[in-house]
Amino acid sequence: MYPPPDPAVPAVVQLQHVVPTLSGPLVDLLVAPLGMERPLTSVVIAEPDDEPRSYDEALVLVIGARGRSATGAVMAAGRGGASAVAVRTGADPGDVEALRRAAAECGVALLAVSDGARWEQVEAVARTVVETVHQTPDLVGPYADNDLFSLAQTLASLTDGIVSIEDTTHRVLAYSRSGDRVDEVRRLSILGQACPEGYLAVLREAGVYARLRAGEEVLEVAARPELGARRRVVAGVTAGSRLLGTIWVQEGPAPLAERTGELLKGAARLATLLLIRHPGGPGRHSLLREELAAGLLEGRVPPGSLAGRLGVPPDCAATVIGIDLRERDGVDGPSLELGRARTTEIVSVHAAAYRRTAVAAPLDGRLYVLVPESGAGSDHGTHRAAADPVAESTLLAWTADLVATLRRHLGTPVQAGIAPAVRRLTEAPAARLSADRVLRVLERDPGRPVATYAQVRATVVLGQVLGLLAENPAVHDPAVRILADHDVRHGTDLCGSLLRYLDAFGEVKEVAEQLHIHPNTLRHRIRRAVRLSGLDLRDPDQRLVAMLELRKIRGQGRG
């Protein structure tokens, strides 16, 4: 039996229940101005020209409009009491920002529907979660993560069969008590916590998993005595078109009950929310933490939503680590998604081992680790992470160990950049930008696995200065451009020679050795560069400006 519902837990579905199931292939959360605990009681389809109406606690799917043209519908839904609105934002950043502002203004969460997702998919997945929670409110409590075993045992009792529940990677998540009635495949599955590969090959060849993904169907799998497999029936656990796992009923010494197919279909429906939330896979809780962390790092989710889940104050200090995975070329589709999911799991496990409140979040092709401090930040000096060199050294060593693990796992030159610690979670987006800047510096040195912002600060600052120069072409010294044009026309490298000369403080012998030329040849090049450009290298201001211009040009040349 299920335990009684926890009266402290609302028997309604909330935004935090639905978003993780939709996230990724279907939608992205852009903003949740009132947090993720907003209730969702229904899913409603609306069009831009609909009359104003009440959308009390609904998820509104705005169809028939895209980008900025959907702003009015978003505002109308928010004013009508909707908890969330889903729209196609389009690719124009200006349209996305306009929709984000509109949603924030009227206090409604905004979900961006991907171009590859069909509206009926989004509706089906959302309705599945909403209806499951409303029909079985006792599953909302924290105890539900352990109820897969209870469900498996109940189904076994009703069907007189032997039940196992697996995720989409064929890991056994739960199973019924069965004594000595199990066949060899079942025995090996329980011992190895995964279906045997030989039997999996038979199932794939028969198209079992392809049919399960295609829709809600109970399939019969004939006995295979040569593999030690008795007859089975199986159903997919789905949320819309998304396959979350499978439930198997193996026949024992006695035939299965007459209503086994019907009962199995019902059990699969009940298992939807349980499997979304199961701790053995990317459950609702972990997916929500990832989604909230990604939203915080992008500045679209307030820190309170994540802080409450991590058990830290919203104004606590934190450190952000950026990880560039350098994914292999030519790997795409399901293999790439599976690889990313496993990589995120590896990082999450390492992060939790380092600090209980640390959370990993995939974002824009990179992984980020947010490491909150236990106490609140302070305006009176730096917090512990920045002030304690032992803590910094420990974090650096942990990050280096994580990168080494990922390099072994992925076979790619993974790199990590550690941003300066910030005083409050509200500053996490700025910390993420700092981590990205460290990673851009590391791109030039693939052999270097990890760096802190402090270690590459000068290079980062120089990169920002050069970026400002590149964005403002009116602010430049034409002298260096003359040299660059001459190099292009005549195939020379006066710019390169002059930059090395300036970097070496005019040490002719040292630069000549680097270039493998005679010192007099280098002196001739420098005199020629001065003559062509009009630079006065005795003037420190001109030397500084020339160095910046040369670095800007050379950087653009490297792409």
Side-chain angles (χ1 to χ4, degrees):
M1 288 185 57
Y2 293 115
D6 184 346
V9 177
V12 296
V13 69
Q14 297 176 340
L15 184 60
Q16 61 183 328
H17 297 130
V18 176
V19 168
T21 313
L22 294 170
S23 292
L26 297 180
V27 306
D28 287 313
L29 175 67
L30 294 186
V31 65
L34 300 182
M36 300 292 287
E37 291 74 31
R38 293 292 306 279
L40 280 177
T41 58
S42 61
V43 181
V44 178
I45 294 177
E47 297 194 32
D49 56 355
D50 285 353
E51 293 294 324
R53 51 172 288 194
S54 172
Y55 294 108
D56 191 32
E57 296 181 345
L59 166 60
V60 180
L61 312 181
V62 178
I63 64 174
R66 176 186 292 268
R68 204 180 298 261
S69 64
T71 303
V74 171
M75 297 287 286
R79 293 177 183 134
S83 294
V85 182
V87 298
R88 294 199 191 276
T89 61
D92 186 340
D95 285 1
V96 176
E97 186 55 35
L99 287 166
R100 194 196 302 264
R101 285 198 304 269
E105 181 179 334
C106 62
V108 66
L110 181 66
L111 307 178
V113 179
S114 66
D115 289 336
R118 300 191 306 274
W119 279 113
E120 56 265 31
Q121 284 180 297
V122 179
E123 181 188 12
V125 173
R127 287 193 190 281
T128 296
V129 180
V130 171
E131 291 171 2
T132 299
V133 176
H134 285 312
Q135 291 169 5
T136 56
D138 56 318
L139 298 184
V140 181
Y143 56 82
D145 284 338
N146 298 319
D147 273 349
L148 282 175
F149 280 91
S150 178
L151 180 61
Q153 191 61 45
T154 300
L155 182 60
S157 300
L158 293 172
T159 62
D160 197 25
I162 303 162
V163 178
S164 61
I165 302 175
E166 300 178 2
D167 66 11
T168 53
T169 63
H170 316 300
R171 291 184 299 177
V172 177
L173 302 177
Y175 49 88
S176 62
R177 296 184 299 274
S178 51
D180 58 357
R181 300 184 299 154
V182 300
D183 62 15
E184 184 65 8
V185 168
R186 160 69 178 232
R187 187 183 69 82
L188 293 175
S189 296
I190 299 302
L191 291 176
Q193 290 293 297
C195 184
E197 187 58 41
Y199 192 60
L200 279 176
V202 171
L203 297 175
R204 293 189 188 107
E205 185 177 349
V208 170
Y209 290 105
R211 292 172 64 186
L212 290 174
R213 290 188 182 92
E216 189 178 56
E217 183 179 4
V218 174
L219 302 179
E220 181 172 330
V221 181
R224 295 294 297 265
E226 73 279 12
L227 295 176
R230 294 177 187 156
R231 172 176 171 262
R232 282 165 164 72
V233 288
V234 58
V237 180
T238 60
S241 61
R242 182 179 176 187
L243 182 67
L244 303 176
T246 52
I247 302 184
W248 297 82
V249 182
Q250 175 220 306
E251 191 173 64
L256 294 175
E258 185 177 343
R259 297 179 58 241
T260 292
E262 179 185 344
L263 293 166
L264 180 54
K265 184 180 291 186
R269 290 173 179 171
L270 286 174
T272 297
L273 186 60
L274 292 174
L275 213 53
I276 290 170
R277 300 177 55 167
H278 194 273
R284 177 190 63 80
H285 183 66
S286 60
L287 284 173
L288 181 59
R289 280 168 42 122
E290 291 175 13
E291 180 68 30
L292 291 176
L296 175 65
L297 292 172
E298 285 188 304
R300 55 184 169 84
V301 172
S305 296
L306 178 62
R309 296 218 154 255
L310 299 181
V312 298
D315 60 345
C316 71
T319 301
V320 173
I321 303 166
I323 302 173
D324 190 344
L325 300 175
R326 302 288 177 87
E327 292 164 336
R328 293 187 186 95
D329 294 336
V331 179
D332 54 15
S335 296
L336 182 57
E337 289 303 318
L338 184 59
R340 286 174 177 170
R342 286 177 175 168
T343 302
T344 302
E345 186 174 344
I346 290 172
V347 175
S348 297
V349 170
H350 276 69
Y354 175 72
R355 181 163 299 161
R356 182 183 60 81
T357 55
V359 57
L363 185 61
D364 295 337
R366 285 177 172 162
L367 269 176
Y368 295 89
V369 181
L370 178 70
V371 185
E373 292 294 312
S374 56
S378 171
D379 289 325
H380 306 291
T382 55
H383 52 74
R384 184 180 64 191
D388 185 354
V390 175
E392 284 189 349
S393 175
T394 302
L395 181 61
L396 182 60
W398 173 81
T399 306
D401 180 66
L402 172 61
V403 169
T405 300
L406 290 173
R407 286 188 170 196
R408 290 193 302 270
H409 174 73
L410 299 177
T412 58
V414 176
Q415 294 178 298
I418 304 174
V422 293
R423 298 170 189 259
R424 292 179 179 82
L425 286 180
T426 51
E427 301 172 36
R432 176 201 170 198
L433 292 178
S434 294
D436 286 342
R437 292 183 180 116
V438 177
L439 288 173
R440 282 197 289 273
V441 172
L442 290 177
E443 285 178 4
R444 306 178 199 171
D445 186 5
R448 186 176 183 180
V450 182
T452 66
Y453 186 90
Q455 290 172 335
V456 296
R457 180 185 291 111
T459 307
V460 169
V461 172
L462 178 60
Q464 291 178 276
V465 171
L466 295 180
L468 291 173
L469 289 175
E471 293 168 6
N472 296 274
V475 183
H476 76 99
D477 185 344
V480 172
R481 175 52 58 188
I482 292 172
L483 291 182
D485 291 342
H486 179 276
D487 282 345
V488 171
R489 287 196 308 270
H490 299 280
T492 56
D493 190 19
L494 295 179
C495 285
S497 297
L498 180 58
L499 181 57
R500 285 178 178 266
Y501 176 80
L502 293 173
D503 283 348
F505 295 97
E507 291 289 341
V508 172
K509 183 178 179 182
E510 177 184 332
V511 177
E513 289 177 353
Q514 293 174 2
L515 297 175
H516 305 292
I517 59 177
H518 194 278
N520 286 337
T521 303
L522 177 63
R523 291 188 182 98
H524 172 72
R525 289 183 184 180
I526 300 304
R527 286 195 296 268
R528 190 176 181 192
V530 168
R531 186 171 62 253
L532 286 170
S533 64
L535 285 169
D536 182 1
L537 298 185
R538 295 168 299 179
D539 184 332
D541 290 344
Q542 289 196 41
R543 288 200 306 270
L544 176 60
V545 171
M547 291 178 72
L548 291 174
E549 291 282 353
L550 287 166
R551 286 182 179 274
K552 182 182 73 171
I553 290 173
R554 303 288 287 186
Q556 290 172 344
R558 288 193 301 269

